[in-house]
Amino acid sequence: MILEERGSLTVTGVSDIDSFDEETVVVYTDLGELTVRGSGLHINKIDVDAGELELEGEIDSLSYSDQPVSRGGFFARMFR
């Protein structure tokens, strides 16, 4: 992860995106789940094949969970 002045974030090792909007971006990485919170978040580049994500906006927090990723179906994600 490279965070520049809390306005630009580059993440490598990204395997999938769970959800995103202007306030929250949740991605799966090789080592766990990463949640980015802020305002005006915008994904500039996503390349899951290369494992790269670039986003911009006002980044307030990064939360990383190294728990094993369980990618259930639609209902599993709705009720977690």
Side-chain angles (χ1 to χ4, degrees):
M1 282 189 277
I2 300 172
L3 178 62
E4 298 178 28
E5 298 183 16
R6 291 182 56 191
S8 176
L9 178 67
T10 302
V11 181
T12 59
V14 174
S15 57
D16 199 4
I17 294 183
D18 183 44
S19 63
F20 63 92
D21 59 33
E22 290 187 352
E23 296 177 349
T24 306
V25 177
V26 179
V27 297
Y28 297 120
T29 70
D30 296 337
L31 300 175
E33 185 178 280
L34 174 66
T35 303
V36 180
R37 296 190 193 280
S39 60
L41 298 178
H42 174 75
I43 295 177
N44 288 338
K45 176 184 173 185
I46 178 67
D47 186 345
V48 176
D49 293 330
E52 298 176 358
L53 168 73
E54 294 178 8
L55 63 89
E56 290 183 343
E58 185 177 322
I59 299 168
D60 295 330
S61 73
L62 300 170
S63 175
Y64 202 88
S65 171
D66 61 357
Q67 298 297 319
V69 176
S70 62
R71 295 185 196 168
F74 174 76
F75 289 108
R77 293 192 332 197
M78 288 281 296
F79 295 109
R80 66 174 157 158

